[in-house]
Each structure stands twice: as structure tokens, then as C-alpha cells.
Amino acid sequence: MKKVVTLLLVLAMTVGLFTGCGSSNKGGNADNTPAAPSGTETDSEAIPEGSAADIKVGIIYIGDENEGYTAAHMEGIKVMATSLGLSSDQVIEKTHIGEDESAYDAIVDLAEQGCNIVFANSFGHEDYMIQAAQEFTDVQFAHATGFQAASSGLPNMHNYFTAVYESRYVSGVVAGLKLNDMITKGEITAEEAKMGYVGAYPYAEVVSGFTAFYLGAKSVCPSVTMEVQYTNSWADMTAENEVAKQLIANGAKLISQHADTTGAPTAAEDAKVPVVGYNVDMTLVAPNTALTSATINWGPYYTYAVKSVIDGTAIAADWSKGYVDGAVAISPINESVAAEGTADKVAEVEAALKAGTLKVFDTSTFTVNGSTLEELIASNADYEKYSANVSDGYFHESEVISSPAFGIIIDGITEK
């Protein structure tokens, strides 16, 4: 069964690459608001110039090729190696590295093997990577989904993520159009337009993602609501499948996810409920119900970071890119399931995101307990911490630091 899943994910990722797609991410904490704004393009010190022939790259992964999140990072590494002409012996990969002391040991081993730059792809790796960065000052360290690089003061420590909330929003538009289609056909009423969301952990990264997804759906289906349940695991196929079933039993007419396996789409397929996936194209496991997936392409970052080492140029302390730079996308729309006109609407929304005329977290589009976010920041001490993120009418997600910071439950969304 594991090999079957592997093949499915490899095929899915292949499709994703040809369409500029990628995957998800891990981690994120409950509150990633920064101690001191750093900016997403803050440069560290320049790096001594090297050469592509001499470079050695190391990376530790939380999972393996069987999990969409890690599979996407692996594809990003392959894109980097191909584009920079690195041979296979110049890239050392370690899979199934936990968020514990074993992460430090794995990172140190890569540094001692001569890696010029070491990557880590899970939130819980960050503290161990910072410890290693303090000890190996001539090695560059880059951590996905973290938030401590700038505040650490270490010139060889870097954070990276993507503006995946943009592709979450677009995939939400696809979901909202499907709900409208179901309402128009009399399959559900407007009041029954409820979505279910299988979340990994109640962290800012997950909250940011499902909020963006909900706002995308709401932009075209104003009556939509959403129930979120957590598995408290990044990759647990059984738990994700069971949570999806529970959400459907609770009245969800459409399912989405921020979890790494095909558990939720499989449950949706069995129940004949439309589903929006994450990381990879889910039509291989849910051909009759999968609409699309929000995806990330990690290739641009890995290529940028390793090329910086080769060229001897500084690496940004925080890096986060979106549609404009090809770092996020959605997988091909399943035309046999999606509502008529979805592709045209998606093209319109993506163009607006690229042009900067559409802001995902436009504060005029949502409330929190009946108040606007600006009102809460001005009147409630619990929200004052978001003041650095909110201006010009929107929440500047991943612009202050690369890691998501939007950890607010807005009206229309319930957690269980």
C-alpha cells in the first residue's frame, strides 16, 4: 500500500511541477507575531563565494516521499539541483527526522559532512538548527516555516516560507463556486453551504491557511460557513479520514484540509462530497470529488538560496513569495466536478493577486465577534500584538516575517 501511495504522490507531484505547483508546509506556532519587525527580504551578511562544482547541500525532512508536504520539498530540491547542475552526490537528504534532539544530530552530521548549506523543513526543527548555526558559523542554515532567524542575530540563519494563503484563497473560490452550483441545482440550500476543514494543529500557519480558504469561498458564496477540526498530527491518514467523516456527519457539504496525507480526500470520495486538497493534486485518489488543491513550489527558494551560496551573495533572513514569483499555485481544476465557469473566475482572481489589487486578508471582508480587526486592535489588548501587521485596510501576512501570523478565528468559522 505504501508503494501505491508513493506512486500516486510522485505522479501527482509530476503534474504539479508542469503546472508550477508545489506543496504545503508544516509547523507554525499559535502566535508568530514577531518581537521586532524584520521584513521578508532582510539580507544577512554576504557569503564567501564558492562554485557549483564544490557546493554540497544537506536537508532534513520530517517525513518522506509518501507525504505530500515532504514530497513537495523533495521536488523543490530536485528542481534546484537540476537548475544549478548539481550531481546526486552533492545533495544529502535525511528523511523522518523528528522534532527533537535527533534533529540537532542530523543537522550537525550534515555540517560535518561538509555541507555548505543545510535546510530543515519542519517547524519543530528550528531551535535545533539555531543551536547548530551558533556552532558552525561557516555553514548557512535555512529553516522552513520558522520565525526566529532575524531575531536570532545569526547571519547564517534564515527562514523561508511562501504566500500559500494566496493559493488557499484561490482554492476557496473554487470551493465557493461549487457550493453555489449545488445551491442552484437544489442539492443544498444557501443556509446549508457549510464546509468542513481537517486541520493539523491550531497554529497560526493552519489558521491563516483555513481563513484564506474560507475568505476565498465567501467572496463568491456569502452564506458559507466552516467547521474546523484538528488531528493534532501533521500526517495521520487514519485520523484525517475519521475527522473528515465526522465533519461530513456534522453537515459539511464540502471538505478541505491542512494535513499531509490523502486521508481526507479518500473519505470525501467515499461519501461523494466535493473536496479541495493540499500539497498535491488529489484527483488520483478522489477522481469523482476532488476539485483542485492549493500547492506550493519550493523550487524557487531552494534554487535562490543555494545559488546565493555559490555566488557569495547574502541570503534574506526571511523569504516568502507567492503567485508573482511562481511559488504558489493550484493544481489543475477537475472540470468534471468543478462548477461551470470556474477556470475563468480563477484566472480573474489570480490576475488580481498578481497585480496586488486583491488582498486576501482585506479587513473589510471579515469580522471577529462582530468587530473589525482595526476596532479590536484599538480596544482590546489581546489584539494589540497585530498592530504591526495591519495597515492600509489589510493584514500584511508573511510581510513582517515569512512565517504566517494570522491566528485569529473570524466570524463564520467554528473550531471543534
Side-chain angles (χ1 to χ4, degrees):
M1 179 62 186
K2 197 170 186 179
K3 289 182 177 178
V4 172
V5 175
T6 301
L7 285 171
L8 290 174
L9 288 173
V10 168
L11 286 169
M13 288 309 305
T14 301
V15 172
L17 281 174
F18 281 115
T19 55
C21 302
S23 147
S24 119
N25 93 329
K26 310 223 134 302
N29 57 1
D31 179 6
N32 285 342
T33 49
S38 61
T40 55
E41 290 296 332
T42 304
D43 285 347
S44 62
E45 294 178 1
I47 302 163
E49 187 173 352
S51 72
D54 297 329
I55 202 79
K56 185 173 284 188
V57 177
I59 181 166
I60 64 170
Y61 301 113
I62 187 71
D64 62 17
E65 70 276 10
N66 292 293
E67 297 163 8
Y69 174 72
T70 290
H73 279 276
M74 288 178 160
E75 289 298 334
I77 289 292
K78 289 178 183 175
V79 169
M80 174 277 296
T82 299
S83 63
L84 298 178
L86 304 190
S87 60
S88 58
D89 62 353
Q90 289 181 270
V91 179
I92 305 174
E93 298 174 282
K94 290 177 176 285
T95 58
H96 294 294
I97 305 301
E99 296 175 319
D100 52 31
E101 195 68 28
S102 65
Y104 171 78
D105 294 339
I107 293 166
V108 167
D109 180 61
L110 291 171
E112 290 180 341
Q113 287 193 58
C115 290
N116 306 89
I117 182 168
V118 177
F119 298 97
N121 82 333
S122 193
F123 178 78
H125 293 153
E126 186 170 32
D127 288 344
Y128 303 105
M129 177 161 268
I130 289 175
Q131 183 181 349
Q134 292 169 331
E135 299 167 5
F136 294 85
T137 56
D138 58 342
V139 177
Q140 301 301 311
F141 296 89
H143 175 256
T145 76
F147 64 102
Q148 302 180 65
S151 60
S152 73
L154 296 170
N156 62 332
M157 182 69 196
H158 318 279
N159 287 140
Y160 62 101
F161 196 42
T162 68
V164 66
Y165 59 89
E166 291 185 350
S167 55
R168 289 282 195 192
Y169 184 93
V170 175
S171 69
V173 170
V174 175
L177 292 173
K178 180 62 179 178
L179 291 172
N180 284 345
D181 185 50
M182 296 165 73
I183 294 169
T184 300
K185 291 177 177 176
E187 298 172 3
I188 62 172
T189 67
E191 292 71 28
E192 291 174 330
K194 176 182 177 180
M195 302 188 295
Y197 197 97
V198 181
Y201 291 99
Y203 291 158
E205 177 191 332
V206 178
V207 176
S208 171
F210 69 60
T211 304
F213 174 74
Y214 173 75
L215 289 173
K218 187 184 175 188
S219 71
V220 295
C221 181
S223 65
V224 68
T225 60
M226 188 166 77
E227 178 183 338
V228 180
Q229 292 192 22
Y230 301 99
T231 61
N232 293 309
S233 172
W234 291 116
D236 185 332
M237 184 176 291
T238 300
E240 292 164 32
N241 186 278
E242 290 301 318
V243 167
K245 289 178 180 176
Q246 185 60 57
L247 289 164
I248 293 168
N250 291 353
K253 306 303 182 187
L254 187 148
I255 294 294
S256 191
Q257 68 180 103
H258 185 152
D260 287 355
T261 82
T262 57
T266 301
E269 181 76 1
D270 291 343
K272 298 181 175 56
V273 171
V275 62
V276 172
Y278 191 34
N279 292 312
V280 295
D281 186 346
M282 293 294 182
T283 56
L284 290 169
V285 294
N288 301 304
T289 55
L291 294 162
T292 187
S293 294
T295 65
I296 296 176
N297 179 13
W298 296 102
Y301 180 74
Y302 289 126
T303 303
Y304 153 77
V306 175
K307 190 173 188 307
S308 294
V309 175
I310 294 170
D311 294 344
T313 56
I315 301 174
D318 276 276
W319 187 99
S320 180
K321 304 291 184 182
Y323 263 102
V324 170
D325 295 280
V328 302
I330 64 170
S331 63
I333 296 167
N334 187 349
E335 297 289 354
S336 66
V337 183
E340 186 176 353
T342 296
D344 289 342
K345 183 63 178 178
V346 163
E348 174 189 323
V349 174
E350 289 179 338
L353 287 168
K354 291 176 183 177
T357 55
L358 189 160
K359 302 298 184 185
V360 169
F361 295 102
D362 182 335
T363 55
S364 70
T365 64
F366 64 89
T367 56
V368 182
N369 297 323
S371 299
T372 67
L373 190 52
E374 285 89 343
E375 290 171 342
L376 289 170
I377 290 171
S379 63
N380 189 324
D382 291 340
Y383 293 88
E384 189 176 339
K385 60 190 175 186
Y386 295 112
S387 61
N389 298 88
V390 179
S391 63
D392 301 324
Y394 71 100
F395 190 100
H396 294 246
E397 184 67 307
S398 296
E399 293 182 22
V400 179
I401 59 173
S402 56
S403 184
F406 193 97
I408 306 164
I409 303 302
I410 67 173
D411 294 336
I413 299 175
T414 57
E415 290 178 302
K416 290 186 178 179

